[in-house]
Amino acid sequence: MLSRRLAHPLYKYQEKRDASINQASEIEPTKLSMPGATASFMAKSPVFTPSPRLSPIFRKTSTALSPSPSSPRSPLSPFKLRLPKLYQSNLIDDRRNIINSNTNTPLLKRKRPARIDIPPLSFQAIAEHQLRTDKERLHEVEADGEGYAVYCKRGKKRAAMEDRYSVAVGVGGDSHQAIFGVFDGHGGSKAAEFAAKNLSGNIMNEVTRSNRERIEETIKEGYLITDAEFLKEDISGGTCCVTALIQQGNVFVSNAGDCRAVMSRGGVAEALTVDHRPSRQEERARIESLGGYVDCCNGVWRIQGSLAVSRGIGDRTLKEWVIAEPYTKMLEIKPECEFLILGSDGLWDKVDNQEAVDVVRPLCVGPDNSDPYIACRRLVDLSLERGSMDDITVMIIKLSHFVAQ
């Protein structure tokens, strides 16, 4: 029976087939002859380099292929895997094709991006930029002198403080002559900073040149000149203003916008300015007569749906309706005129006039009570406690200090 099986033609064919397969499986990969590839290339090829990560071709869920720590021969290497011989010969052919395809593929080069020319900055420009940045990032500003004090605090909703102030004491060599100002900027701090630097000087120049009987008109001219000079700068934004000029025993208080001045007369609050807002009947009538309109947006009256104040310095895009002409009031400083409070709307939106006087008076009236700086801070803290998110500036002026005894 066995001799018949060995003599059968099919059996002989099977023997020849097995012999060819065995011969193919014994070929060493480093001795394969293929065009464009060398033995050293094949040794460095990613297809033949042993890797700790198992190729998806050899990944099995069975634990039979899991390497044993004690076994020197790990089946994770493609050279050590015991695969069917026919599968090995097909794998070698696939490797040949991969290597040949890699050698014929051209490498793509990335293009270098275009060169960017950045102009050099001078040391002066860097210093000016740093100074401006430091000033805008100020969290609070404080100052006190003979007869006055001021305290500014940046609002929680502000990235940079937009309030400014100005003080000039002993003007013209007269210790009883002074001019003070508080400025509340909007749309940036540029207009407030410009007004703080120039408005007081423009007012005093006009007062010096004109007749002293027309002080109110000269103050108005000082406001209008400052506004015209700022508009020439081609800078956006605007500012509300309140100023107090003390001269020869009188005080001239002026404002444009919603900065306010309140005086204590024997402990009773007296407003010396008018808030210029579109909600006021006379302001609304003036704006509409000039072709503008006033509407209420989220409970706030605005000009052209934009600005919530009707007077101020700057605001070039609304200059047809937002004028710089101030409201001015003159008072003779009498013994009952105790102190003057100048403040931005960050204070007056949360603290009314009489409340402010009641907070300041115990700290500023009387021989043993002379601390206007502490009084300024008390008012700012009160406004913050009541939820103010705006910049807050408070200036307190002791009027008796500037009256000849």
Side-chain angles (χ1 to χ4, degrees):
M1 177 68 73
L2 180 60
S3 60
R4 286 184 183 179
R5 185 181 299 176
L6 295 176
H8 196 280
L10 182 61
Y11 184 81
K12 292 182 178 180
Y13 173 78
Q14 183 68 29
E15 283 184 339
K16 292 180 179 181
R17 181 176 177 273
D18 292 341
S20 62
I21 292 176
N22 291 335
Q23 185 178 2
S25 62
E26 293 175 358
I27 297 176
E28 295 182 9
T30 56
K31 294 182 180 181
L32 289 175
S33 176
M34 54 188 90
T38 63
S40 61
F41 177 85
M42 291 175 60
K44 297 179 181 180
S45 172
V47 177
F48 296 97
T49 303
S51 171
R53 290 189 59 188
L54 186 61
S55 172
I57 300 176
F58 309 118
R59 201 168 290 164
K60 297 282 187 180
T61 58
S62 172
T63 57
L65 293 180
S66 300
S68 174
S70 61
S71 176
R73 290 190 176 186
S74 174
L76 293 180
S77 171
F79 295 108
K80 305 301 182 182
L81 272 173
R82 297 179 181 179
L83 299 175
K85 297 180 179 180
L86 180 61
Y87 182 81
Q88 291 182 5
S89 63
N90 294 337
L91 179 61
I92 293 174
D93 293 336
D94 292 339
R95 291 170 179 172
R96 292 175 180 175
N97 295 333
I98 292 173
I99 294 174
N100 289 332
S101 62
N102 290 337
T103 55
N104 296 329
T105 303
L107 295 177
L108 297 179
K109 295 184 179 180
R110 294 180 59 185
K111 291 184 178 180
R112 179 176 294 179
R115 183 177 179 180
I116 301 175
D117 292 328
I118 302 176
L121 288 176
S122 63
F123 289 106
Q124 181 179 1
I126 295 174
E128 291 177 354
H129 173 74
Q130 185 65 35
L131 179 62
R132 182 172 63 253
T133 303
D134 292 343
K135 185 183 295 184
E136 291 177 349
R137 289 179 178 176
L138 287 176
H139 181 66
E140 57 185 9
V141 177
E142 56 189 45
D144 59 340
E146 291 294 328
Y148 76 92
V150 59
Y151 182 64
C152 310
K153 194 173 184 67
R154 189 181 69 191
K156 294 181 180 180
K157 70 177 182 179
R158 302 290 186 184
M161 186 183 294
E162 296 180 343
D163 282 8
R164 297 290 188 271
Y165 75 94
S166 65
V167 173
V169 178
V171 178
D174 185 354
S175 61
H176 298 124
Q177 184 171 245
I179 184 168
F180 305 89
V182 168
F183 309 93
D184 180 6
H186 48 262
S189 62
K190 298 297 185 182
E193 190 166 345
F194 185 90
K197 291 179 179 179
N198 297 282
L199 180 57
S200 296
N202 289 335
I203 290 174
M204 295 310 301
N205 290 338
E206 293 300 311
V207 169
T208 303
R209 286 200 299 263
S210 64
N211 188 345
R212 292 184 179 272
E213 296 180 357
R214 299 177 56 252
I215 297 294
E216 291 88 342
E217 286 298 318
T218 58
I219 293 174
K220 174 183 172 181
E221 287 300 316
Y223 271 74
L224 296 178
I225 290 172
T226 305
D227 181 57
E229 290 175 348
F230 177 73
L231 294 177
K232 292 178 182 178
E233 296 292 321
D234 194 22
I235 302 174
S236 61
T239 183
C240 300
C241 316
V242 59
T243 58
L245 170 63
I246 300 175
Q247 186 183 62
Q248 295 183 341
N250 298 318
V251 56
F252 300 85
V253 178
S254 307
N255 82 306
D258 56 5
C259 289
R260 190 184 305 173
V262 175
M263 186 182 71
S264 173
R265 188 187 291 272
V268 178
E270 181 177 340
L272 303 183
T273 57
V274 173
D275 293 347
H276 296 122
R277 292 180 173 172
S279 56
R280 292 182 63 89
Q281 186 62 37
E282 57 269 29
E283 290 295 289
R284 181 174 180 176
R286 176 182 63 80
I287 294 167
E288 291 177 346
S289 66
L290 295 173
Y293 71 89
V294 175
D295 61 355
C296 186
C297 180
N298 296 327
V300 179
W301 290 89
R302 299 181 182 275
I303 300 176
Q304 306 295 102
S306 175
L307 191 61
V309 293
S310 56
R311 299 194 187 196
I313 290 175
D315 299 303
R316 67 174 60 254
T317 59
L318 300 171
K319 199 72 251 178
E320 186 176 357
W321 309 285
V322 180
I323 61 177
E325 182 178 338
Y327 171 88
T328 301
K329 186 172 184 177
M330 187 272 288
L331 285 175
E332 181 183 356
I333 302 176
K334 296 181 179 181
E336 64 268 22
C337 298
E338 297 168 337
F339 55 86
L340 188 64
I341 305 173
L342 307 182
S344 61
D345 66 328
L347 170 69
W348 303 116
D349 286 346
K350 299 296 181 181
V351 181
D352 65 36
N353 298 348
Q354 190 60 51
E355 279 183 310
V357 169
D358 294 341
V359 170
V360 174
R361 197 166 188 265
L363 296 168
C364 293
V365 176
D368 299 328
N369 301 319
S370 181
D371 202 339
Y373 170 71
I374 297 298
C376 288
R377 295 204 62 148
R378 291 275 179 87
L379 287 179
V380 171
D381 291 341
L382 179 59
S383 181
L384 291 173
E385 290 172 4
R386 295 181 177 180
S388 176
M389 304 290 287
D390 200 359
D391 294 342
I392 307 171
T393 298
V394 177
M395 181 182 289
I396 297 175
I397 305 162
K398 297 189 67 175
L399 295 174
S400 59
H401 183 82
F402 300 97
V403 177
Q405 303 296 328

